[in-house]
Amino acid sequence: MSTVTARQNQAPATTTPLLRPALDWRLRFGALSLIWGFSFLLIKVGTQGYAPFQVTFGRLLFGTAVLAAAMAVKRERLPRGARTWGHLTVAAFLLNALPFSLFAYSELTIPSTLAGICNATSPLWGMALSLVALSEDRPTRVRVAGLGLGFLGVLTVLGAWQGFSGLDARGTAMALLASLSYPIGWIYVRRTLAGTSTSHLSLTGAQLLLATLQLAVVTPLFTSLPTHLPVLPLLAIAALGALGTGLAVLLQYGLVAEVGPTTAQMVTYFIPVIATAAGVAILGESLRWSTPVGAVIVLAGAGLTQVRGKRAV
């Protein structure tokens, strides 16, 4: 799920903590890395029994239930105002409904390891877009070099020198578009909802609710009710929603509030490592040498794009 680089992402960021932390932030950081890293494995397992839109709908439904429970505990109310709800509708599409669906569809034809690495390109897309959309975000030589290095890493992962052989172009493109959707959504949120007085828990709950409603409309149009309910894929979807979407969001904003967005966003660099390890060890996915090498280059480039000048805020 912080800044535009955070995944999985996926609601307006603030600095108000949700709950008094009971665990050291390093433990919660590790837990968040594991949860988001395993999300791509859970998507793959979920799509083995259900259609991609059904996986996404279930993910959002379980995630919304967790946020609703958190709001009930905190006695939070949903935000008010047509303007706020209108902006949240767009944010829900860009940060939840669209990327979640694209990743689910992409994993029909590409391994979860590749999907996890594609997700790591979000900081690269975010930096490129911010140079155009955010006038206060000035480029530096280091950040431009990081952008170029990062996209070189993408070409390495995809095996560009071999003509991208052995990869499904459509599935890979969907995964890359999903990672692009996150920074577009965050820039939109930054321009429209930054500084709102409504608590981030309320905004997040409303955003996930709207994304769930969007999928509730779309899913019946493109899928039919399953004739049977495979248990393992259903459990994977429930875990993906409750942990990878609901609990992960709570952990993410707790970390942002405690240690700041710069440290919290470092979780982005652990996600592809964990996703790759899980895909290879548990799902038995194959791994070419170019995949881990390219992933390291992507992460190095993404790290450089986050380097700010002394005057940057």
Side-chain angles (χ1 to χ4, degrees):
M1 98 244 166
S2 70
T3 65
V4 297
T5 64
R7 290 288 232 157
Q8 304 151 293
N9 136 246
Q10 290 135 9
T14 70
T15 56
T16 304
L18 288 175
L19 297 171
R20 183 179 297 275
L23 295 175
D24 183 82
W25 73 268
R26 296 170 186 82
L27 295 177
R28 286 177 283 126
F29 183 97
L32 182 59
S33 300
L34 287 172
I35 289 171
W36 271 339
F38 270 87
S39 291
F40 297 95
L41 179 149
L42 295 174
I43 293 172
K44 174 68 76 173
V45 175
T47 56
Q48 292 174 356
Y50 300 92
F53 275 137
Q54 293 170 343
V55 172
T56 304
F57 175 67
R59 174 181 187 175
L60 289 167
L61 186 64
F62 284 106
T64 301
V66 171
L67 267 293
M71 290 178 64
V73 171
K74 295 286 290 182
R75 297 182 179 179
E76 292 275 0
R77 295 183 178 181
L78 291 172
R80 298 180 180 179
R83 178 182 176 276
T84 298
W85 280 93
H87 291 316
L88 284 173
T89 300
V90 177
F93 175 75
L94 292 173
L95 292 171
N96 302 113
L98 178 61
F100 290 178
S101 299
L102 285 172
F103 273 125
Y105 268 102
S106 73
E107 291 199 38
L108 291 177
T109 55
I110 67 172
S112 64
T113 55
L114 179 57
I117 293 171
C118 287
N119 180 77
T121 64
S122 280
L124 306 177
W125 298 119
M127 187 259 180
L129 290 171
S130 67
L131 296 180
V132 177
L134 301 175
S135 59
E136 69 273 19
D137 202 354
R138 301 297 181 183
T140 64
R141 292 181 179 178
V142 172
R143 299 183 70 199
V144 172
L147 186 64
L149 182 64
F151 284 114
L152 176 63
V154 172
L155 294 176
T156 304
V157 170
L158 301 181
W161 66 91
Q162 297 176 334
F164 307 104
S165 62
L167 292 178
D168 181 77
R170 184 180 179 183
T172 304
M174 285 185 176
L176 291 172
L177 285 174
S179 69
L180 172 61
S181 181
Y182 289 130
I184 293 176
W186 275 103
I187 290 174
Y188 178 84
V189 166
R190 183 170 172 179
R191 285 185 172 274
T192 59
L193 292 172
T196 181
S197 59
T198 307
S199 75
H200 68 82
L201 178 57
S202 176
L203 292 170
T204 304
Q207 182 178 305
L208 285 182
L209 174 61
L210 288 167
T212 304
L213 294 176
Q214 290 170 2
L215 264 295
V217 173
V218 171
T219 301
L221 298 178
F222 294 94
T223 65
S224 57
L225 289 175
T227 57
H228 64 288
L229 301 176
V231 176
L232 183 59
L234 183 60
L235 291 176
I237 294 171
L240 180 64
L243 300 178
T245 303
L247 178 61
V249 168
L250 299 179
L251 288 173
Q252 178 193 15
Y253 285 108
L255 287 171
V256 171
E258 184 173 350
V259 299
T262 301
T263 300
Q265 77 177 10
M266 293 298 292
V267 70
T268 303
Y269 306 116
F270 290 86
I271 293 173
V273 177
I274 296 171
T276 299
V280 172
I282 299 177
L283 297 180
E285 295 177 344
S286 60
L287 191 67
R288 300 182 300 178
W289 69 266
S290 59
T291 301
V293 171
V296 170
I297 299 174
V298 168
L299 295 177
L304 290 176
T305 65
Q306 303 307 304
V307 175
R308 303 291 197 221
K310 294 182 179 179
R311 295 183 179 180
V313 178

